[in-house]
């Protein structure tokens, strides 16, 4: 193994929230932090990016002035040990747009688009992490072989900090929670 192929030392050591906050945006791109350890995320496919953008645009339009929907930024689930996730779509309070890091109490909904290599993380690990952090809604989007994605929705039970299954959508998503939205999933 050549020196160029070796991972930097910080990828093998637990990092703190303060250390992470001192890193540049470039250093933070393409990674998540789980229990203080860096997890490298592969680059998203064009199909995943398109689906996330369509979903974010529709949610943003439906959310009204109190909520924003965006892609591509961290949500700080906990400080110790540090856990930062970068959901594919985040619906968050509009008045917190300039507050960093984004915390679970700012977030209404996170959506993850499952891709090859992220199946277990998106179906099991993140569901548990988002629920424990208190995020009210979680949507998991499966990219089906038919080309029309399936959207699995989950609603938080605040007493147990676990999600209960919500509706499953294919073709057209007509969700009423957290707010009415209709998205044509056939356009992906």
């Amino acid at each position: 193994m050549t020196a160029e192929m070796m991972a930097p030392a910080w990828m093998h050591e637990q990092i703190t929230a303060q250390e992470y906050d001192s890193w540049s945006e470039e250093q933070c791109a393409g990674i998540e932090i789980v229990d203080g350890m860096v997890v490298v995320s592969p680059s998203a496919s064009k199909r995943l990016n398109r689906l996330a953008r369509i979903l974010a645009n529709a949610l943003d339009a439906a959310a009204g002035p109190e909520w924003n929907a965006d892609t591509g930024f961290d949500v700080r689930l906990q400080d110790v040990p540090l856990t930062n996730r970068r959901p594919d779509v985040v619906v968050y309070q509009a008045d917190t747009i300039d507050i960093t890091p984004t915390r679970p109490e700012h977030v209404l909904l996170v959506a993850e688009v499952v891709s090859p290599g992220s199946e277990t993380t998106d179906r099991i690990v993140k569901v548990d992490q988002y629920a424990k952090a208190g995020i009210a809604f979680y949507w998991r989007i499966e990219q089906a072989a038919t080309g029309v994605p399936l959207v699995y929705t989950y609603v938080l039970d605040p007493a147990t900090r676990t999600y209960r299954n919500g509706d499953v959508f294919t073709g057209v998503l007509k969700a009423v929670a957290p707010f009415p939205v209709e998205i044509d999933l056939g356009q992906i």
Side-chain angles (χ1 to χ4, degrees):
M1 182 178 278
T2 67
E4 294 84 28
M5 294 173 62
M6 293 183 63
W10 54 262
M11 289 186 73
H12 302 288
E13 300 169 2
Q14 196 170 37
I15 64 167
T16 66
Q18 183 179 6
E19 289 170 318
Y20 183 79
D21 291 342
S22 72
W23 293 359
S24 70
E25 200 172 305
E26 205 171 74
Q27 288 173 294
C28 297
I31 65 170
E32 293 180 316
I33 309 294
V34 179
D35 294 332
M37 301 302 290
V38 173
V39 178
V40 177
S41 301
S43 295
S45 69
K46 289 185 276 185
R47 182 172 296 281
L48 185 148
N49 283 335
R50 178 167 172 72
L51 181 55
R53 182 175 45 81
I54 288 168
L55 185 61
N57 288 345
L59 288 168
D60 199 51
E66 294 176 12
W67 299 97
N68 292 335
D70 284 311
T71 62
F73 64 90
D74 290 345
V75 175
R76 174 82 42 95
L77 300 181
Q78 64 185 35
D79 286 321
V80 180
L82 178 61
T83 299
N84 270 1
R85 286 294 189 179
R86 187 168 288 195
D88 294 315
V89 177
V90 181
V91 177
Y92 60 97
Q93 296 169 344
D95 62 354
T96 66
I97 194 166
D98 293 319
I99 297 174
T100 57
T102 299
R103 303 266 181 192
E105 57 268 21
H106 306 149
V107 176
L108 178 65
L109 176 147
V110 293
E112 294 285 0
V113 180
V114 178
S115 59
S118 74
E119 293 96 342
T120 301
T121 302
D122 291 342
R123 292 178 185 151
I124 299 168
V125 177
K126 289 183 180 179
V127 176
D128 185 54
Q129 290 175 339
Y130 293 144
K132 286 181 179 171
I135 296 173
F137 299 93
Y138 176 65
W139 291 0
R140 187 184 84 235
I141 298 92
E142 300 274 346
Q143 300 182 67
T146 62
V148 179
L150 296 167
V151 179
Y152 296 85
T153 65
Y154 302 88
V155 179
L156 183 68
D157 177 345
T160 62
R161 291 276 181 141
T162 59
Y163 287 118
R164 65 176 170 75
N165 292 334
D167 294 324
V168 178
F169 298 92
T170 187
V172 175
L173 183 141
K174 293 182 182 179
V176 292
F179 33 75
V181 64
E182 184 171 320
I183 305 167
D184 181 358
L185 299 173
Q187 61 183 309
I188 308 309

